[in-house]
């Protein structure tokens, strides 16, 4: 079950953001759902999310209409970005992975003001 809470049509609380399949938390199946259920859920909710996008009047853009040249970073921004990436990599190496009941997961989440473990996504 994913952590992005959606309604039954793939909509999130952020306008224009939709989720389906493994990323979505629809509430239809419990945590112990079967793989066949999640596959079927992905198909059904993927179609529902697509229809929601059309019904909501989401403006679709082609890749050609998007900005093709990113704005270059300054030297200071590059250094800061490298520091952020290094800290993130160190945190992921030390704490990430399945850890719903792990004390290390609890310490990681607590240090960042997050809830950790079963039911945390629903409790926010």
């Amino acid at each position: 079950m994913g952590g992005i809470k959606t309604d039954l049509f793939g909509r999130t609380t952020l306008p224009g953001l939709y989720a389906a399949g493994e990323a979505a938390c629809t509430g239809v199946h419990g945590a112990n759902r079967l793989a066949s259920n999640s596959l079927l859920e992905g198909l059904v909710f993927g179609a529902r999310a697509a229809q929601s996008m059309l019904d909501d009047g989401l403006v679709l853009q082609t890749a050609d209409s998007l900005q093709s040249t990113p704005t270059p970073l300054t030297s200071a921004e590059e250094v800061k970005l490298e520091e952020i990436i290094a800290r993130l990599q160190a945190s992921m190496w030390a704490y990430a992975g399945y850890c719903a009941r792990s004390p290390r997961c609890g310490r990681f989440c607590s240090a960042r003001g997050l809830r950790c473990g079963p039911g945390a996504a629903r409790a926010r």
Side-chain angles (χ1 to χ4, degrees), residues 4-119:
I4 304 172
K5 188 157 178 61
T6 67
D7 64 11
L8 295 177
F9 300 94
R11 293 181 186 98
T12 67
T13 56
L14 184 64
L17 178 65
Y18 301 81
E22 292 300 315
C25 178
T26 62
V28 173
H29 295 288
N32 295 326
R33 68 186 184 182
L34 301 172
S36 59
N37 289 345
S38 63
L39 178 59
L40 181 58
E41 185 179 332
L43 291 171
V44 170
F45 284 91
R48 284 183 172 197
Q51 188 60 53
S52 294
M53 291 176 209
L54 295 173
D55 293 346
D56 294 348
L58 187 68
V59 178
L60 302 177
Q61 296 180 349
T62 63
D64 295 336
S65 67
L66 301 174
Q67 180 181 355
S68 60
T69 307
T71 305
L73 298 176
T74 66
S75 297
E77 290 170 330
E78 286 184 21
V79 169
K80 183 68 175 170
L81 180 60
E82 290 299 323
E83 290 171 1
I84 292 169
I85 290 171
R87 285 197 317 268
L88 177 60
Q89 287 174 334
S91 291
M92 295 298 288
W93 181 258
Y95 301 109
Y98 180 75
C99 62
R101 291 184 173 88
S102 163
R104 287 176 48 172
C105 180
R107 288 192 302 270
F108 177 79
C109 293
S110 293
R112 286 151 185 83
L114 303 172
R115 292 214 40 216
C116 186

